[in-house]
Amino acid sequence: MLPLQEKEFAVSTPDGKTIYGILTQSPIDTRKLLILSHGLTGCMDEHMHMEAKRFFSNNGYDVVRFNYYGPQDDARKMEETTLALHAQDLNQICDHFRPNYDKLFIAGHSYGGLTLVVANPLATALSFWDSSFTPFKGFMEKEAKKLDGTPFYTIGWGTSVLMGAAMYDEALEMDSKADALAKKITTPSQVILAGDQSENPVRMALYEALACPRQLEEIDRADHCFTHGDTLYTLFKRTLSWFEQF
């Protein structure tokens, strides 16, 4: 691997918040950018995103990672944000970097993939990494626990975080809206499924709802976060192969 250069950045939002992130510059001179969209309760420093920056930067892409919520005083907080705000922030990040590149690609994992559906960003191509889509009513009713006497819910897998009522209510409405939102996407889109999720009865729903040029991939033995064996690097290789078509 060649040495990487990184630059921190901060982008102000119209409602007075700040989006914080890091641009990893490829050691190869490039006019291609990949933006990574993390999932619910996630962050830009998760293992899959740290490995993605190394893989794609060494294959000729600058890589942007950013947080939908963070520890800085003026960053959004998990309990006050919504999917709609995620989509707004994603599009603002795209607008911020787009003038510097000829091609802009986006990969969204889990809820970060659903963010792409809502945002419908202007891009060269998209890749959905075992993306969330539907049904959310059942998911939220199972996973989100109301905190008595507060407007908040807790959600998490071993470590709980706060989620506001606005995000909870928004998710309950998504089942009736998701298909129509996906059909608006015209950007070529790749849907990558985790093989271990094969019993999920709606795992094909996003791919089936898309009306744009599309590709379906499934990675055997992969779990939702692609931690099994070398499945993470299979994910990257198939994503790269898709992006390189454009």
Side-chain angles (χ1 to χ4, degrees):
M1 288 188 179
L2 299 171
L4 304 178
Q5 299 294 321
E6 294 193 319
K7 295 181 179 179
E8 296 182 355
F9 66 84
V11 176
S12 298
T13 69
D15 59 348
K17 298 295 184 179
T18 304
I19 308 166
Y20 291 92
I22 296 175
L23 169 66
T24 300
Q25 296 177 299
S26 174
I28 303 166
D29 187 37
T30 185
R31 295 283 295 174
K32 297 185 290 187
L33 177 70
L34 169 61
I35 295 175
L36 300 174
S37 176
H38 71 73
L40 187 65
T41 75
C43 73
M44 68 179 184
D45 294 329
E46 290 175 289
H47 173 71
M48 69 185 312
H49 304 309
M50 295 295 288
E51 289 299 297
K53 76 168 186 181
R54 297 183 181 97
F55 178 89
F56 285 96
S57 60
N58 277 285
N59 279 279
Y61 292 71
D62 286 355
V63 180
V64 162
R65 296 175 292 123
F66 71 97
N67 285 327
Y68 286 115
Y69 25 79
Q72 299 86 353
D73 289 343
D74 57 349
R76 298 195 192 282
K77 306 306 174 191
M78 172 69 181
E79 64 269 21
E80 65 186 18
T81 194
T82 63
L83 185 61
L85 285 172
H86 287 191
Q88 174 184 299
D89 291 351
L90 173 63
N91 277 321
Q92 187 161 358
I93 291 294
C94 291
D95 291 344
H96 178 80
F97 285 100
R98 187 179 290 107
N100 301 323
Y101 294 91
D102 296 329
K103 296 182 178 181
L104 188 153
F105 302 88
I106 311 173
H109 172 244
S110 193
Y111 220 69
L114 185 58
T115 298
L116 301 189
V117 174
V118 176
N120 192 7
L122 177 62
T124 305
L126 308 175
S127 184
F128 293 88
W129 291 353
D130 207 45
S131 178
S132 304
F133 193 58
T134 58
F136 266 94
K137 186 175 188 297
F139 171 83
M140 283 297 178
E141 289 177 345
K142 177 183 177 183
E143 301 293 345
K145 310 300 181 185
K146 186 72 165 60
L147 282 178
D148 292 341
T150 79
F152 302 116
Y153 295 79
T154 59
I155 188 167
W157 298 272
T159 300
S160 295
V161 297
L162 283 180
M163 179 175 65
M167 178 172 273
Y168 181 89
D169 293 340
E170 179 187 56
L172 299 188
E173 298 175 357
M174 188 54 59
D175 290 346
S176 62
K177 296 179 177 180
D179 280 9
L181 290 170
K183 283 180 170 57
K184 293 180 180 179
I185 296 174
T186 59
T187 302
S189 296
Q190 176 190 52
V191 176
I192 300 182
L193 305 177
D196 279 5
Q197 306 294 313
S198 60
E199 299 303 316
N200 183 345
V202 296
R203 64 199 304 266
M204 294 286 292
L206 172 58
Y207 179 76
E208 292 169 347
L210 290 168
C212 58
R214 57 186 182 159
Q215 180 191 72
L216 180 67
E217 295 272 358
E218 181 170 344
I219 299 178
D220 290 342
R221 303 186 309 280
D223 63 313
H224 179 58
C225 291
F226 300 90
T227 62
H228 294 172
D230 291 330
T231 55
L232 184 61
Y233 307 101
T234 302
L235 171 73
F236 297 159
K237 290 173 184 176
R238 294 192 186 180
T239 303
L240 178 64
S241 178
W242 170 247
F243 288 163
E244 289 292 286
Q245 296 179 38
F246 304 94

